[in-house]
Amino acid sequence: MSILDEGFRAPGGTSRNRPHGNLQILRFAVIGLFLLLGARLAQMQIVDGASYAQRSRENHIFQKNILPTRGLIEDRNGEPLVQNVGVYSASVLPEALPNADQFDDWKERRFKIYLKLEQLTGTSQLEIQSRVNDAEAAGQAYIAIKIADNLTKDQALALDEVTTEMPGVTLDITPGRLYLGNEFSHILGYIGPQFKEDAARLEGQGYQFNEPIGKDGLESRYESDLRGTVGYTAVEQDASGKQITALKSRDPVPGNSLKLAIDAPLQRYIAELLQDSLPDDPTYGAAHEAAAVVMDPNTGEVLAMVSIPTYDNNIWSESKIRGAELDALQNDNLTHTLTNKALSAAAPGSTFKIVTSTAGLEEGSITPNTSRYVGCSLEITGENNVIYTYPDWTCHDKVLDVRSALAWSSNVFMFLTAGGDLETTRGLGKSVEDSGAILATWARRFGFGSPTGIDLPGEGSGRVPDPAWKKRTYVGPGFNPGENEWFIGDTYNTAIGQGDVLATPLQVARMTAAIANGGKLVTPHLVDEIISPDGQTVRTIQPEFQDVGMSKATARVIAEGMLGSVQYGAGILAQLSNVSVAGKTGTAEFYDPDTGRKTQHAWFTGFAPFDKPEVVVTVYFDKGTGGVHAAPVAAKILQYYFDNVHR
Amino acid sequence: MSSVTYGGYGNGVRTNTSVWRGWDRFDYLLTLTAIALVGIGLVLIYSGSLSFYDGPLTSFSSPVFKQVIFACVGIAGMLVVSKLDYHYLTHYAWVLYGLGILSLIALLAIGQTSYGSTRWFDLGPIQLQPSEFAKLATILALARFFSEHGGDARDLRTLLISLVIVAPVAGLVFIQPDLGTSLVFFAIWIGIVVVAGANRSHLFVMAALFIAVLPFLWTFGIAQYQVGRVAVLVDSQEDPLGDGYNVNQSKIAVGSGQIFGKGFTNGDQTQLGYLKVATKDFIFSLLSEEFGFVGCVTVMSLFVLLLMRGVRAAQIAGDTAGQLVAVGIVMLILMQTVINIAVNLSVFPVTGIPLPFVSQGGSSLVSIFIAIGILQSIVMRHRAYRQT
């Protein structure tokens, strides 16, 4: 009997009872379950299909950004002040290291890699190992760990040669800057990684998280010009991260270059000169800080702007290896190296007499021909017949007009010009307070008390005191009642650039330029032109002026006074044999906050040639005497200018 | 005059015992539907294997070719089994059932472990999955049991004994662990007892009891990986590169197929390797991605057709045993298909159940064709055993 037979019989008669099951429920179950699945399918593919399609694209299309080359910065003659360099660093991707699935001896293989890395980069194998282990324990094996930064070119080359033998190790290159010369540090600034708090804002502007940004100076101010446009390549990647096809790409556009007004050799010459000329007077203490500004009075082009001491701004990118040095710089309270002294305010001293004289001539408290006998001091009879004595810096014992008063830098003449003597001579205004306010107004017209608008961040405003300011400020603890009144002494102090007046060397240079150019207040600028990568001029910085509000005649009188100062007066050490120099010395007394001793700033500001001014020089030392220390330095700068820069 | 009763019991009239007999009643539509699904499966396996196999199609290492071989073996098996009287199988049901349990126990001792679960015997070139065999053995055992008890599950005692038949196999599969397959066992049992006329109140009480113990099962019974898979289903972003990876990628694959799909061999998710096991458990995702809603509905319609032919087999079966075996096989195919598609559509935790006929894999393909063969055997003999 074949088992294929239909005749096979199961034992027992009950096996062939008539089937009586109701199968309708089974049919419903089949239809029902598939309808449910169909509904879910429709929801996923039809209702949400488009969004899943988008996610599918994002899943495998990876956009890789290519950072643009940053624009360069060069001086007025095309000399480069920065270079673009690659910053090399070594990273380890834990998940790409040899692992237990691949090799039995994976531990040895890893150890060999760590040892080689220690040998090449100097990062200890123990540190690498523990960082890899930590990352793996935290389930972050897919994030690359940077183990060494700022590798030297030799290290980078050596590492590059062996990366193929070391799975999981990569050599990364990020764009960096090399700055060519400490003299330009305060002007150029530096680039660095984005701060966490700025990252979100920068991302909105299309920045990549690893893209460096300008941090200070021109690098920061002209960031949008220097940066360029990020390029990208879009690639299709499979699940294991292998690139399948390149889909599209856009080349990065390099940033625009900056052509500066700065003359690099002049800048270097001045930096060296200032450093070597720092006064060390036993009476006033040693100078640590200095600044100089060289500017074209007709255009506002800044040919040199030096702040002493200089420093190496490459330190920011090498902060990991030069950490102690950077720390010292940032906590430097003696020389304030990181501060640009050309943009920080100090008492301007007698250079401010230019403002006082201009105010006197324009307001009518003096005429070009007003002559006064000036002795050693001015005595003012105050309330209750108390006699106050306001000394001059020396006993002039001469009859002075405004020109010779500027030349000899007479304090008494300026006191009387600004504040009168409360008896026979009137000051700038009808009352003591009026005189103070009018003097302050003229100071502001010359640009004091507000930033000059130079194309650098972090510029100081200086300070112009007036009766309203004093009323606001001289109150509260530490002040006696009524001390916030404006006294005639305040007008006198301001008139000679002492007391509460503060001005930056750049502001003083700008004032000087206004005298030189006949009354125009120019906006200084460091950048002359912005040049595209293919050499086309994108835009030229045009000179900008405001009107001081003085007559040409007044400017001429002041200029003659300054010429006298150099020819026969207090500024005689600024004299040159071949060029007629006009200038004004300044020596501002102040109490050194560090020592508590009375000391003085040294200033000289001048222009040349007298007949056809083309250059303004302002020199400042934190300690010294204007006529003795600043004037000869200004002379050397002008000599250099006329020998080497002048066209 | 004595009437002639064809196939009548004890009649002794066996006029035709040729192998050619009965093919007129063979359900060709059922078999063609199954072969159509296999054909679609071959197309999908070809597309899904492009990323890891680029050799010739006619090679024993080609996944498509291997699947063709297994399909031929399965179809041959189906033809043999369809010619075999299913009563022969129900006769030895208890022996087969015992072998099934033994093989599952043996598996726990010496089976191959992969993806944290022990489901295979490794026999050199082929892998055997004893749970496939145990499913059929259990269906036969249940059918035999009820046919000997008047085809009736109204009696609580009978119902409970039938549960005792299914519980050990389901339990052994559960501890492999294979949650999906143990659910298939219970679905088969429910299908059979419902058709066998179980008292509804009994079923409700048991369902209530099951729901009551579910939290304890969750805590003690379900392996940690299974908890992970269920949790991932609830929130697939919880662990995007771990358990949630597959769920996420299959969702993207299915959804991004939209109405007409991305086209044959054009599914990015599949071809770029984001979708894992695209030719096996996740072949429905591959179908969805490359052939879209239209392709999916076509395949699901073929399944509905195939299952309806299975229900027809149960409907026309000549006796209770045949009917219950057919119901069990319908439930088997239905549950495997629904669970697999539900996993692919992210409405069921990942369980590792292949899509019948379509997924790559010899063991399941051969055994499912043998199940079809049993259905055919029932269809071909329905008149012979129909009692007047």
Side-chain angles (χ1 to χ4, degrees):
Chain A
M1 187 174 81
S2 165
I3 59 161
L4 297 177
D5 254 2
E6 276 200 0
F8 180 84
R9 294 289 177 266
T14 53
S15 72
R16 286 178 290 110
N17 43 17
R18 189 182 173 81
H20 47 11
N22 182 358
L23 295 165
Q24 208 56 24
I25 189 165
L26 201 52
R27 292 196 182 91
F28 285 137
V30 171
I31 303 285
L33 284 171
F34 276 94
L35 282 179
L36 283 177
L37 292 176
R40 166 70 175 168
L41 192 65
Q43 185 216 336
M44 288 175 79
Q45 297 193 301
I46 297 171
V47 179
D48 299 335
S51 93
Y52 278 115
Q54 174 63 25
R55 281 176 63 187
S56 168
R57 279 191 292 279
E58 287 168 4
N59 213 3
H60 62 270
I61 295 174
F62 289 82
Q63 186 165 317
K64 202 167 154 190
N65 291 289
I66 311 169
L67 297 185
T69 315
R70 201 172 171 84
L72 294 173
I73 304 175
E74 56 187 36
D75 88 335
R76 66 187 302 116
N77 302 311
E79 182 187 329
L81 304 181
V82 295
Q83 259 175 23
N84 283 322
V85 291
V87 178
Y88 299 97
S89 58
S91 303
V92 169
L93 183 64
E95 66 175 6
L97 286 168
N99 58 50
D101 295 340
Q102 299 167 312
F103 305 105
D104 292 335
D105 61 341
W106 61 283
K107 281 189 177 160
E108 289 77 43
R109 282 170 188 262
R110 281 190 177 193
F111 184 68
K112 273 186 200 156
I113 290 174
Y114 298 157
L115 266 189
K116 187 79 185 166
L117 280 175
E118 174 175 335
Q119 193 189 331
L120 288 172
T121 67
T123 309
S124 85
Q125 61 94 5
L126 277 174
E127 189 195 330
I128 304 171
Q129 187 176 4
S130 70
R131 288 182 65 187
V132 169
N133 292 349
D134 289 351
E136 286 183 330
Q140 295 182 327
Y142 55 93
I143 299 174
I145 305 168
K146 187 178 272 189
I147 57 151
D149 207 355
N150 284 102
L151 298 175
T152 65
K153 196 130 196 163
D154 289 340
Q155 285 177 314
L157 281 174
L159 185 64
D160 193 34
E161 273 175 22
V162 293
T163 43
T164 48
E165 301 153 26
M166 303 200 295
V169 178
T170 49
L171 176 68
D172 302 319
I173 307 174
T174 48
R177 286 283 226 201
L178 181 66
Y179 297 99
L180 308 170
N182 296 358
E183 299 84 3
F184 306 99
S185 292
H186 290 105
I187 297 174
L188 297 180
Y190 57 98
I191 63 168
Q194 302 162 17
F195 289 127
K196 224 179 212 161
E197 42 284 14
D198 301 333
R201 178 177 55 82
L202 289 169
E203 199 185 343
Q205 296 170 21
Y207 275 84
Q208 301 307 304
F209 78 95
N210 63 339
E211 194 175 348
I213 57 160
K215 283 295 179 66
D216 200 358
L218 297 172
E219 291 273 28
S220 160
R221 178 61 190 264
Y222 289 93
E223 171 69 19
S224 56
D225 290 297
L226 291 166
R227 181 189 170 217
T229 312
V230 177
Y232 64 84
T233 54
V235 296
E236 195 167 39
Q237 232 174 52
D238 72 7
S240 59
K242 204 167 69 187
Q243 183 178 332
I244 305 298
T245 43
L247 295 175
K248 53 184 172 176
S249 63
R250 187 181 72 191
D251 288 334
V253 182
N256 295 327
S257 294
L258 305 182
K259 190 184 184 85
L260 304 189
I262 293 286
D263 186 282
L266 176 67
Q267 175 93 2
R268 276 192 285 268
Y269 172 79
I270 295 173
E272 196 184 344
L273 177 67
L274 288 181
Q275 189 69 52
D276 293 346
S277 314
L278 283 174
D280 188 3
D281 187 298
T283 324
Y284 305 119
H288 297 290
E289 303 174 12
V293 174
V294 179
M295 187 164 86
D296 183 334
N298 304 305
T299 62
E301 284 175 73
V302 176
L303 293 148
M305 177 189 278
V306 177
S307 173
I308 296 294
T310 60
Y311 73 101
D312 178 9
N313 51 347
N314 293 307
I315 194 169
W316 300 100
S317 63
E318 296 164 7
S319 58
K320 277 204 181 122
I321 37 179
R322 294 169 68 180
E325 213 181 317
L326 180 60
D327 225 37
L329 268 186
Q330 284 173 326
N331 296 312
D332 167 21
N333 290 320
L334 178 65
T335 63
H336 307 96
T337 306
L338 296 178
T339 309
N340 187 347
K341 275 80 176 188
L343 302 180
S344 24
S350 302
T351 59
F352 196 81
K353 287 173 183 166
I354 293 171
V355 176
T356 310
S357 308
T358 306
L361 291 168
E362 290 291 326
E363 298 290 335
S365 71
I366 50 169
T367 69
N369 301 317
T370 305
S371 301
R372 292 190 178 111
Y373 170 78
V374 176
C376 298
S377 61
L378 178 65
E379 290 177 351
I380 299 292
T381 312
E383 282 173 39
N384 308 321
N385 289 332
V386 179
I387 297 187
Y388 297 90
T389 304
Y390 295 93
D392 211 319
W393 65 279
T394 183
C395 288
H396 294 289
D397 194 24
K398 283 187 184 77
V399 174
L400 299 172
D401 65 357
V402 65
R403 298 177 188 83
S404 52
L406 278 169
W408 289 113
S409 199
S410 165
N411 289 350
V412 169
F413 191 92
M414 296 300 158
F415 294 157
L416 292 168
T417 302
D421 62 3
L422 301 179
E423 291 168 22
T424 55
T425 314
R426 61 157 279 199
L428 294 169
K430 288 185 183 119
S431 66
V432 171
E433 290 206 352
D434 269 3
S435 298
I438 291 169
L439 184 58
T441 302
W442 276 98
R444 291 193 196 97
R445 288 183 176 182
F446 273 106
F448 293 101
S450 55
T452 63
I454 191 172
D455 43 1
L456 278 182
E459 185 187 3
S461 296
R463 184 167 64 207
V464 176
D466 64 12
W469 173 85
K470 195 180 179 191
K471 210 169 189 71
R472 276 201 313 276
T473 313
Y474 276 57
V475 288
F479 295 103
N480 298 319
E483 204 178 329
N484 63 344
E485 248 178 84
W486 188 266
F487 300 109
I488 194 163
D490 293 318
T491 311
Y492 287 177
N493 263 335
T494 307
I496 60 168
Q498 306 247 63
D500 292 315
V501 203
L502 295 175
T504 69
L506 186 64
Q507 285 172 333
V508 171
R510 196 182 181 209
M511 165 187 77
T512 312
I515 299 299
N517 66 26
K520 290 179 292 178
L521 193 64
V522 68
T523 303
H525 57 91
L526 286 161
V527 174
D528 263 357
E529 282 181 0
I530 291 156
I531 297 168
S532 71
D534 54 6
Q536 302 295 311
T537 300
V538 177
R539 63 178 198 271
T540 307
I541 308 299
Q542 298 298 332
E544 284 176 36
F545 302 97
Q546 286 162 264
D547 194 14
V548 174
M550 69 196 292
S551 68
K552 281 222 157 51
T554 302
R556 178 78 189 176
V557 171
I558 306 291
E560 283 167 5
M562 291 168 73
L563 180 67
S565 171
V566 177
Q567 282 183 344
Y568 61 84
I572 197 160
L573 292 179
Q575 216 172 74
L576 294 181
S577 56
N578 53 345
V579 185
S580 57
V581 179
K584 181 75 201 77
T585 56
T587 305
E589 293 181 340
F590 72 107
Y591 286 94
D592 187 336
D594 294 336
T595 60
R597 276 202 308 175
K598 195 175 177 185
T599 176
Q600 55 193 30
H601 298 312
W603 291 85
F604 181 88
T605 187
F607 61 89
F610 173 77
D611 299 324
K612 195 171 173 290
E614 64 174 70
V615 62
V616 166
V617 174
T618 302
V619 175
Y620 160 84
F621 289 111
D622 70 328
K623 282 165 196 152
T625 304
V628 179
H629 299 115
V633 167
K636 285 182 184 156
I637 293 171
L638 286 170
Q639 187 67 60
Y640 183 95
Y641 171 86
F642 284 106
D643 289 350
N644 301 291
V645 183
H646 169 70
R647 294 134 297 175
Chain B
M1 206 171 96
S2 68
S3 62
V4 176
T5 311
Y6 292 101
Y9 179 68
N11 196 290
V13 180
R14 273 171 238 137
T15 48
N16 192 347
T17 56
S18 153
V19 285
W20 303 110
R21 189 161 177 253
W23 292 109
D24 54 337
R25 290 194 284 272
F26 186 83
D27 190 344
Y28 292 97
L29 185 55
L30 172 64
T31 299
L32 286 176
T33 310
I35 290 173
L37 285 169
V38 172
I40 289 171
L42 290 175
V43 169
L44 297 177
I45 290 165
Y46 172 78
S47 174
S49 61
L50 283 177
S51 59
F52 58 86
Y53 178 79
D54 58 359
L57 267 184
T58 54
S59 151
F60 279 103
S61 53
S62 155
V64 177
F65 193 73
K66 275 200 277 191
Q67 187 77 352
V68 170
I69 302 279
F70 283 124
C72 292
V73 172
I75 290 167
M78 173 191 74
L79 292 175
V80 169
V81 172
S82 55
K83 201 67 195 106
L84 182 77
D85 192 330
Y86 60 94
H87 287 100
Y88 187 80
L89 298 172
T90 49
H91 178 73
Y92 291 109
W94 298 116
V95 179
L96 296 172
Y97 176 77
L99 285 174
I101 288 198
L102 279 177
S103 67
L104 287 175
I105 292 170
L107 184 72
L108 288 178
I110 57 167
Q112 290 297 307
T113 302
S114 76
Y115 298 112
S117 155
T118 311
R119 298 178 187 177
W120 292 278
F121 284 125
D122 205 342
L123 303 178
I126 52 168
Q127 294 174 327
L128 270 187
Q129 204 165 347
S131 62
E132 300 286 352
F133 173 70
K135 281 179 224 167
L136 291 177
T138 306
I139 290 169
L140 293 170
L142 284 171
R144 165 80 180 269
F145 173 76
F146 280 114
S147 66
E148 285 174 355
H149 289 80
D152 209 336
R154 257 185 291 260
D155 179 18
L156 181 60
R157 189 171 152 272
T158 320
L159 188 66
L160 288 177
I161 292 172
S162 71
L163 187 58
V164 168
I165 294 171
V166 102
V169 261
L172 281 168
V173 170
F174 183 76
I175 59 175
Q176 285 181 356
D178 187 348
L179 175 67
T181 304
S182 46
L183 279 181
V184 170
F185 275 109
F186 277 103
I188 289 168
W189 175 75
I190 288 168
I192 288 177
V193 299
V194 166
V195 173
N199 193 326
R200 271 192 211 139
S201 59
H202 292 157
L203 290 177
F204 283 136
V205 170
M206 272 193 262
L209 276 175
F210 176 72
I211 289 166
V213 297
L214 199 60
F216 297 96
L217 270 183
W218 183 265
T219 313
F220 302 110
I222 297 187
Q224 191 54 48
Y225 96 107
Q226 200 69 56
V227 173
R229 284 177 171 187
V230 177
V232 155
L233 186 79
V234 176
D235 178 10
S236 56
Q237 300 296 339
E238 186 183 276
D239 181 15
L241 285 173
D243 290 338
Y245 182 84
N246 265 335
V247 172
N248 228 345
Q249 297 298 347
S250 77
K251 256 180 165 168
I252 294 174
V254 172
S256 63
Q258 296 180 270
I259 295 179
F260 297 106
K262 297 175 185 170
F264 180 49
T265 71
N266 282 335
D268 320 298
Q269 287 290 109
T270 308
Q271 304 304 336
L272 298 176
Y274 290 95
L275 183 64
K276 305 293 179 201
V277 285
T279 60
K280 294 179 177 170
D281 297 355
F282 283 95
I283 199 162
F284 192 83
S285 300
L286 163 54
L287 169 75
S288 310
E289 187 185 24
E290 297 197 343
F291 297 95
F293 187 71
V294 172
C296 292
V297 168
T298 306
V299 168
M300 293 203 299
S301 306
L302 285 173
F303 272 111
V304 170
L305 176 61
L306 183 131
L307 289 164
M308 285 306 175
R309 296 307 288 181
V311 175
R312 170 182 170 269
Q315 186 81 61
I316 66 175
D319 61 356
T320 302
Q323 182 173 61
L324 295 183
V325 169
V327 167
I329 289 172
V330 167
M331 285 306 286
L332 170 69
I333 299 174
L334 173 68
M335 285 314 288
Q336 301 217 90
T337 308
V338 167
I339 290 177
N340 176 276
I341 295 178
V343 167
N344 276 272
L345 301 183
S346 304
V347 287
F348 197 82
V350 178
T351 57
I353 286 186
L355 186 61
F357 303 106
V358 182
S359 281
Q360 183 196 353
S363 225
S364 79
L365 189 60
V366 172
S367 66
I368 210 80
F369 265 117
I370 285 174
I372 295 293
I374 297 173
L375 282 183
Q376 296 287 13
S377 173
I378 292 164
V379 172
M380 286 163 77
R381 286 161 189 79
H382 72 272
R383 286 221 206 131
Y385 294 120
R386 172 135 297 176
Q387 289 187 332
T388 46

